[in-house]
Amino acid sequence: MAFRKPPDGGWGWVIVVVSFFTQFLCYGSPLAVGVLYLEWLDAFGEGKGKTAWVGSLANGIGLLASPVCSICVSSFGARPVAIFSGFMVAGGLMMSSFAPNIYFLYVSYGIVVGLGCGLLYTATVTITCQYFDKRRGLALGLISTGSSVGLFIYAALQRELIELYGLDGCLLIVGALSLNILACGSLMRPLESSSSPPPEKMFVDKVPDQYFVYHEKEKTVEENISILEKGYIDEKCVNNVPDCKQDSILNKSALSSINVNEKDTYKKKVVEQTNFCKQLAKRKWQLYLTYWKETMVLFKNKVFSALFVAILLFDIGGFPPSLLMEDVARSANISEDDYYMPLISIIGIMTTVGKLVLGILADFKWVNTLYLYVTTLLMTGVALFAIPFAKSYLTLAMLSGILGFLTGNWSIFPYVTTKTVGIEKLTHAYGILMFFAGLGNSLGPPIVGWFYDWTQEYNTAFYFSGFCVLLGGFLLLLAALPCWNACTNQSSKLPPNTYSYKVASNA
């Protein structure tokens, strides 16, 4: 299928609007799951670590399954995937309202909703990139704020719905709201060339004849010859009885000759098809080996290896506050009267601000994006260490705002990855890093919850979280230092304008 040149406008702005609302509707509840987390703790009476798995799966499973999501969007298109995923998200949320135990929520909320969100994220990013080229950064930045605005609004919305209709009613209403994703998905019109032929015809025309299966064709030929032979013999027998037997023998001889030729042709084409399948399997195996060789080359890059460790540790330590901050406030015995705004809402709105500000800073030529990213990691670690000392709503709100702003470093992570491995390896490297980010999202909240179950307080849990983020930041800083690069033999080959952390092992 041929695509037109990206219009950088026109219907593309409709795509931006519907992609924004798609991420708003699908990620609003999973990112604001901290409000539901408190209700699930009271409803099922399970430990904090076991209950935290629900929210961590919902946010991590989409990243873990990112290769599968990419394949689905590439195979079926963004619009069908978005509509199907809308049913997944809405159905998973509604099913969760009938959950009899925490294990049911693992599937309905954690896996079904999480996988639906991953598919929708891939679909919105893909369709936006197809419609924009020169303004692609602006378009992607606008749609990425949908999830942060969703976190800000859904935190207060779910709290209000729980007070009015209870936990089950809240999930049913939120699930019904998610059905609006279907309307958004229906507007994701694919960018196809108007002169391109219909998909079915184009597909048939491009398939060589030797790759079809021939047994049905052979059967049809034999049946047709048999019918013709029978009609011909009957006609001859009626008109000229003495010649009937002779013509029958001649026709049978001709038929057997035709069948032999058809069978030989069939066998020949089956052999050709078998050889084609063998060559295809061999080619796929070579691509598989090439993929793993390229992966090993990436991990030989010391900055990329440090980046992989840093993103894993950052998500293990930095993601839990967005899920557990409400429970931290309840554990600190903060009165409900002191609540001016849910802490998760503060995290959400400051994440939006952080994405915009850090993204703008990354565009300045004098800013080293890797050092900027390392700075956000180190500051996040310090903020996590300060959480156990916060005993009032005001201090927790300030720390929530700081953590939300620093979490906006997701907007500069693609910049860092590109400068580290190069634009030609960005897709491969980014997919690997997102897989480990999803692993960190899935493991972080349960680990912090288990620490609470063991110690009956959050202090040790957030000390552990802060240590993880600081460790990842220091490892990445050491790998990026110019003095470290000077110790390698290949550092002298770097161009003078290249960032100091662009490793020469890419060459």
Side-chain angles (χ1 to χ4, degrees):
M1 181 179 295
F3 291 98
R4 296 199 304 267
K5 183 180 178 181
D8 280 306
W11 191 260
W13 294 119
V14 177
I15 298 295
V16 169
V17 172
V18 298
S19 297
F20 172 89
F21 280 105
T22 296
Q23 293 202 16
F24 170 85
L25 293 167
C26 74
Y27 277 106
S29 181
L31 289 178
V33 72
V35 176
L36 304 176
Y37 172 76
L38 297 177
E39 302 299 322
W40 287 330
L41 283 174
D42 298 335
F44 300 115
E46 301 286 355
K48 295 181 185 293
K50 184 181 291 187
T51 308
W53 271 111
V54 180
S56 62
L57 283 174
N59 287 278
I61 200 72
L63 292 174
L64 288 172
S66 55
V68 178
C69 298
S70 299
I71 292 173
C72 291
V73 174
S74 300
S75 301
F76 304 105
R79 180 159 58 183
V81 170
I83 294 173
F84 175 77
S85 303
F87 280 112
M88 287 186 65
V89 173
L93 289 169
M94 292 180 180
M95 287 169 55
S96 299
S97 65
F98 302 101
N101 51 55
I102 200 70
Y103 303 103
F104 188 92
L105 286 173
Y106 290 163
V107 178
S108 62
Y109 197 98
I111 296 178
V112 176
V113 175
L115 186 57
C117 291
L119 288 167
L120 286 168
Y121 176 81
T122 306
T124 53
V125 170
T126 300
I127 193 70
T128 303
C129 290
Q130 289 176 1
Y131 271 86
F132 287 90
D133 183 17
K134 296 179 181 179
R135 300 176 179 176
R136 184 174 295 168
L138 173 62
L140 291 175
L142 289 174
I143 69 170
S144 67
T145 58
S147 58
S148 301
V149 175
L151 169 59
F152 171 71
I153 294 179
Y154 268 74
L157 175 64
Q158 291 185 147
R159 179 187 293 273
E160 189 68 23
L161 290 176
I162 290 172
E163 292 180 358
L164 293 175
Y165 305 105
L167 176 61
D168 297 342
C170 170
L171 289 170
L172 283 173
I173 294 173
V174 171
L177 288 174
S178 299
L179 289 173
N180 289 285
I181 296 173
L182 306 181
C184 295
S186 64
L187 295 174
M188 294 181 184
R189 187 173 63 196
L191 185 67
E192 298 178 15
S193 175
S194 56
S195 60
S196 61
E200 295 80 9
K201 183 177 179 181
M202 181 177 63
F203 178 78
V204 172
D205 291 343
K206 288 188 176 182
V207 177
D209 291 339
Q210 62 265 30
Y211 301 147
F212 286 109
V213 180
Y214 292 90
H215 63 277
E216 294 182 358
K217 181 179 178 182
E218 180 187 11
K219 181 179 178 182
T220 304
V221 170
E222 291 179 357
E223 289 177 352
N224 291 337
I225 292 175
S226 178
I227 293 171
L228 290 173
E229 178 205 9
K230 183 178 179 181
Y232 176 76
I233 292 173
D234 291 343
E235 184 181 358
K236 292 289 290 183
C237 289
V238 170
N239 297 332
N240 192 359
V241 177
D243 295 336
C244 180
K245 293 183 179 180
Q246 183 178 359
D247 290 341
S248 177
I249 294 172
L250 290 174
N251 283 314
K252 286 183 179 179
S253 176
L255 175 63
S256 56
S257 176
I258 292 173
N259 287 341
V260 170
N261 291 335
E262 284 291 327
K263 289 179 180 178
D264 289 342
T265 303
Y266 169 70
K267 290 179 180 179
K268 182 180 178 180
K269 291 178 177 179
V270 166
V271 170
E272 291 177 357
Q273 186 182 14
T274 304
N275 291 335
F276 168 75
C277 292
K278 288 181 179 179
Q279 292 175 1
L280 182 63
K282 184 178 180 181
R283 183 182 177 187
K284 293 295 184 182
W285 177 250
Q286 290 296 331
L287 291 174
Y288 178 78
L289 292 178
T290 302
Y291 174 84
W292 283 108
K293 288 179 181 178
E294 292 178 354
T295 302
M296 296 306 297
V297 170
L298 285 175
F299 278 101
K300 289 180 181 179
N301 182 331
K302 62 180 180 296
V303 178
F304 178 80
S305 299
L307 194 61
F308 134 74
V309 175
I311 191 65
L312 176 64
L313 294 177
F314 172 74
D315 280 280
I316 289 177
F319 177 66
S322 63
L323 176 62
L324 304 174
M325 192 61 79
E326 298 294 328
D327 193 46
V328 172
R330 188 168 71 171
S331 300
N333 297 320
I334 295 176
S335 174
E336 292 286 339
D337 297 334
D338 297 334
Y339 261 74
Y340 302 102
M341 182 186 297
L343 297 175
I344 299 179
S345 295
I346 297 175
I347 293 176
I349 196 64
M350 290 305 296
T351 300
T352 305
V353 175
K355 286 179 179 179
L356 295 175
V357 173
L358 294 174
I360 292 171
L361 287 176
D363 286 334
F364 289 108
K365 295 182 179 180
W366 52 269
V367 174
N368 188 313
T369 51
L370 181 63
Y371 292 151
L372 177 62
Y373 184 74
V374 169
T375 301
T376 61
L377 295 183
L378 298 179
M379 293 178 66
T380 300
V382 174
L384 289 170
F385 272 116
I387 289 178
F389 300 98
K391 302 300 181 183
S392 65
Y393 173 82
L394 180 61
T395 53
L396 283 176
M398 292 175 61
L399 288 174
S400 297
I402 294 171
L403 288 171
F405 179 87
L406 296 173
T407 305
N409 62 7
W410 276 99
S411 64
I412 63 173
F413 191 73
Y415 286 79
V416 176
T417 309
T418 304
K419 293 296 183 180
T420 302
V421 301
I423 188 64
E424 68 282 352
K425 297 181 181 179
L426 174 63
T427 302
H428 188 182
Y430 199 72
I432 294 172
L433 294 173
M434 288 301 98
F435 175 84
F436 286 102
L439 186 63
N441 275 350
S442 300
L443 295 177
I447 290 175
V448 172
W450 289 331
F451 269 109
Y452 184 92
D453 292 337
W454 294 334
T455 61
Q456 295 303 309
E457 43 87 15
Y458 275 116
N459 295 352
T460 306
F462 282 105
Y463 290 149
F464 171 79
S465 297
F467 173 77
C468 287
V469 177
L470 285 176
L471 178 61
F474 277 121
L475 288 176
L476 187 56
L477 178 62
L478 289 175
L481 286 176
C483 60
W484 177 264
N485 288 333
C487 296
T488 62
N489 296 328
Q490 297 177 338
S491 60
S492 59
K493 299 181 182 180
L494 290 175
N497 326 351
T498 308
Y499 285 106
S500 59
Y501 57 88
K502 186 173 182 179
V503 181
S505 62
N506 297 330

